[in-house]
Amino acid sequence: MQSLETLKQEADHSRVYRTHNIMCDDVLWHVSDMTNRIPGIDWAACCRFPKGPPKREPYEIEVKHMIHWGRADARIIEDAFKVTLPASVHEFYSEIRECVLNWKYSYHILDPESVVAWEQFHREEEDNESLPVHLIRFCKIAGSSDSIALRKHTQTGKWHIDYASLCDSTAESQSSKYDDTHLSEDLDGWIQRLMANDGILHDDDRNITAVERVA
């Protein structure tokens, strides 16, 4: 899995952004959350301010990926939803339990237990627990209520990586309406795409001005 090898190389690399938005709050929230839940790792080292604490915008923030290395078991997701997931998902979780990948946007890839809880939460909120599981939200996007999900194509049965908007019901999101809108063929390709585009998810976001890479 090429993205895993690249993440190993990039784990200690930092990126500096000049920003006017709430990126600071998002990253600091993840630092606090990971520190409380996963002690013994210096998560605070993944976020610092090269010019000191920001007093006014724009400010500069230096970030690293926050990766909880270790083996997790993707079969927890499979057993909970009675599905068979792609090999790339198993390979990813064989080396990473959970991570927050910080670029222009931050992406929180949940551990398998939290993936199950997050998907169940959405289905319970919509009162559709009995709906067949052809969509599994596994990643939260900082600053958004939307998710990144594994989505099963209604015709081919193949799982892709797709965007799951909170505005769409689960039934709609996993229907044939979105069969041709996936972000990537698999998890490995999606992470590689983020790496190549500094965390930009959609082509329409390439002209983003609220966050500027400076180092």
Side-chain angles (χ1 to χ4, degrees):
M1 190 171 182
Q2 183 59 45
S3 59
L4 270 177
E5 297 307 311
T6 306
L7 281 176
K8 292 174 185 177
Q9 298 170 15
E10 290 188 356
D12 293 325
H13 295 177
S14 61
R15 291 160 293 283
V16 181
Y17 298 95
R18 184 178 295 116
T19 179
H20 292 266
N21 70 359
I22 60 171
M23 180 180 182
C24 169
D25 293 337
D26 290 335
V27 176
L28 288 177
W29 185 91
H30 282 300
V31 168
S32 176
D33 174 60
M34 298 282 266
T35 298
N36 290 332
R37 292 189 297 104
I38 310 170
I41 300 176
D42 185 12
W43 299 113
C46 297
C47 173
R48 75 182 192 92
F49 299 95
K51 297 183 178 180
K55 297 180 180 179
R56 66 176 186 273
E57 297 180 322
Y59 55 81
E60 289 187 5
I61 183 172
E62 182 179 347
V63 297
K64 296 179 182 178
H65 297 318
M66 303 171 64
I67 303 175
H68 186 195
W69 297 101
R71 187 175 186 84
D73 191 352
R75 291 176 299 179
I76 292 171
I77 305 171
E78 294 183 321
D79 292 344
F81 299 126
K82 305 298 186 292
V83 298
T84 301
L85 295 176
S88 62
V89 176
H90 288 277
E91 189 171 354
F92 177 87
Y93 281 118
S94 72
E95 299 201 43
I96 294 179
R97 292 192 53 80
E98 175 185 0
C99 63
V100 179
L101 303 179
N102 292 310
W103 292 288
K104 284 187 174 182
Y105 293 107
S106 294
Y107 301 88
H108 182 190
I109 299 180
L110 306 172
D111 62 84
E113 294 86 350
S114 296
V115 171
V116 172
W118 185 233
E119 186 57 35
Q120 288 177 336
F121 166 78
H122 281 276
R123 290 170 184 266
E124 290 168 2
E125 285 288 295
E126 299 173 13
D127 193 24
N128 62 10
E129 296 97 317
S130 62
L131 190 71
V133 178
H134 298 160
L135 180 92
I136 303 173
R137 300 164 179 88
F138 70 92
C139 176
K140 298 182 180 181
I141 308 169
S144 172
S145 298
D146 299 336
S147 305
I148 304 299
L150 290 155
R151 185 185 173 283
K152 190 175 183 180
H153 195 282
T154 63
Q155 300 299 315
T156 67
K158 183 177 180 180
W159 291 90
H160 301 290
I161 304 300
D162 213 339
Y163 192 89
S165 172
L166 188 65
C167 296
D168 296 330
S169 69
T170 299
E172 182 178 13
S173 294
Q174 65 180 35
S175 71
S176 59
K177 175 181 177 181
Y178 291 107
D179 273 349
D180 299 318
T181 64
H182 56 268
L183 295 171
S184 181
E185 292 290 331
D186 60 16
L187 181 59
D188 188 36
W190 177 65
I191 296 175
Q192 288 190 61
R193 176 182 173 183
L194 291 178
M195 289 173 174
N197 292 283
D198 206 18
I200 295 296
L201 187 62
H202 301 290
D203 289 339
D204 292 343
D205 295 332
R206 291 185 183 280
N207 294 324
I208 182 173
T209 59
V211 183
E212 176 189 2
R213 176 81 174 264
V214 295

